[in-house]
Amino acid sequence: MEKREQLYEGKAKKVFATDDPNLVIVSYKDDATAFDGQKRGTILGKGAVNNRMSNFLMKQLEKEGIPTHYVEELNDRETVVKKVSIVPLEVIVRNISAGHFASRYGVEEGIVFDEPVVEFSYKNDDLHDPLLNDDHAVALKLSTREEIARIKAYALKVNEVLKKILLASNVTLVDFKLEFGKTADGTLVLADEISPDTCRFWDSRTGEKLDKDRFRRDLGNVEDAYMEMQRRLLGE
Ligand code: TMP
């Protein structure tokens, strides 16, 4: 599959057209940003880790009945995916308090919830991705009621599948963010990526952070954390 013109460049990925109008190629960058792009840096090797880890996890999710955008990995950084229009919702699932949940509600990190918490934000950097509920999303015509129900059911299923895969590698899935898209024929599929950029991973035995929080919070050993996650999940 040949790369044609660049369609889009985001903070962590570029998207290229292909000869097939229904397929695009994503190319993962080493660029890292946090806090709506205010903090910028490079995490060497991140693009390759995120590409390969995301593809590995999407393939597992497909086997468990979750439709995804994944088509074919081309090389370390590039993957063919279905072309979708992204539903402008960031779908966050939380198992343990951390990050904005802890700061917003004034609680410590590490509280294990009895049930997973599903949360939506409006994907809009200018507005700083404001938190919203189902009614807000429907009122703003970001999605339909039926679609939101399906997104929520998929997100909870993704949580169950990922928790199990990760725990086998002694990684606790604290929280994560998903994005969904619609293909040309209107099918809802899981899109974007599942990686240390978009999830919080804690070592199950030591509690050590193995994700982008090391970059956000200047904790050091950022590259090591990405490599460690790759080693645990992909065995190399
Ligand atoms: P939060 O606690 O900052 O809201 O983050 C929840 C999860 O979502 C966490 O695993 C990191 C991920 N996330 C993204 O993927 N992109 C973002 O822009 C933000 C703010 C969080």
Side-chain angles (χ1 to χ4, degrees):
M1 177 104 6
E2 289 288 307
K3 261 194 324 207
R4 298 295 178 210
E5 78 276 12
Q6 183 175 309
L7 298 175
Y8 174 77
E9 177 163 8
K11 286 178 282 193
K13 295 188 283 299
K14 294 178 183 177
V15 181
F16 296 88
T18 68
D19 292 333
D20 184 331
N22 294 314
L23 299 176
V24 294
I25 292 172
V26 268
S27 179
Y28 286 71
K29 306 190 283 184
D30 284 351
D31 300 357
T33 64
F35 315 116
D36 292 330
Q38 285 178 61
K39 181 182 173 78
R40 288 165 191 277
T42 302
I43 302 174
L44 280 178
K46 171 173 89 79
V49 172
N50 288 6
N51 179 46
R52 299 182 57 226
M53 191 185 301
S54 190
N55 293 341
F56 169 78
L57 293 172
M58 294 239 184
K59 281 189 259 184
Q60 307 290 315
L61 290 165
E62 285 275 358
K63 282 189 206 154
E64 301 288 339
I66 311 277
T68 78
H69 71 166
Y70 175 78
V71 176
E72 185 194 2
E73 186 170 291
L74 292 178
N75 56 53
D76 267 6
R77 282 179 191 271
E78 295 178 328
T79 296
V80 182
V81 299
K82 293 170 195 157
K83 185 172 188 174
V84 297
S85 59
I86 290 284
V87 177
L89 293 174
E90 300 207 336
V91 183
I92 293 165
V93 181
R94 302 181 187 272
N95 297 303
I96 299 177
S97 66
H100 281 105
F101 185 97
S103 59
R104 189 186 308 130
Y105 303 118
V107 297
E108 74 267 33
E109 293 207 325
I111 302 165
V112 179
F113 303 136
D114 293 339
E115 296 172 31
V117 175
V118 180
E119 176 183 301
F120 299 106
S121 323
Y122 178 18
K123 190 175 152 64
N124 184 322
D125 274 348
D126 294 339
L127 299 176
H128 311 294
D129 299 340
L131 189 68
L132 45 60
N133 67 23
D134 308 27
D135 290 344
H136 296 138
V138 173
L140 292 166
K141 297 195 163 42
L142 305 181
S143 189
T144 64
R145 205 57 72 204
E146 296 69 36
E147 211 167 74
I148 292 171
R150 291 200 20 240
I151 286 174
K152 198 164 170 176
Y154 282 151
L156 288 169
K157 179 76 194 277
V158 170
N159 187 40
E160 290 313 310
V161 175
L162 293 185
K163 269 201 300 191
K164 202 187 290 174
I165 294 170
L166 289 157
L167 206 55
S169 300
N170 288 307
V171 175
T172 301
L173 179 61
V174 175
D175 57 30
F176 58 94
K177 185 263 302 180
L178 301 176
E179 293 183 25
F180 291 84
K182 280 188 287 183
T183 60
D185 68 5
T187 309
L188 187 69
V189 299
L190 179 62
D192 194 47
E193 67 181 273
I194 303 174
S195 72
D197 272 20
T198 63
C199 305
R200 286 195 172 92
F201 299 131
W202 292 355
D203 182 290
S204 306
R205 290 170 293 196
T206 65
E208 188 192 357
K209 295 184 198 301
L210 296 172
D211 57 60
K212 194 176 159 189
D213 268 352
R214 302 205 73 85
F215 167 79
R216 294 189 188 97
R217 302 182 190 181
D218 296 318
L219 300 176
N221 300 327
V222 184
E223 278 88 0
D224 294 344
Y226 280 74
M227 291 312 293
E228 177 62 15
M229 279 306 303
Q230 168 164 292
R231 198 184 60 73
R232 289 200 197 187
L233 282 182
L234 305 172
E236 59 207 78

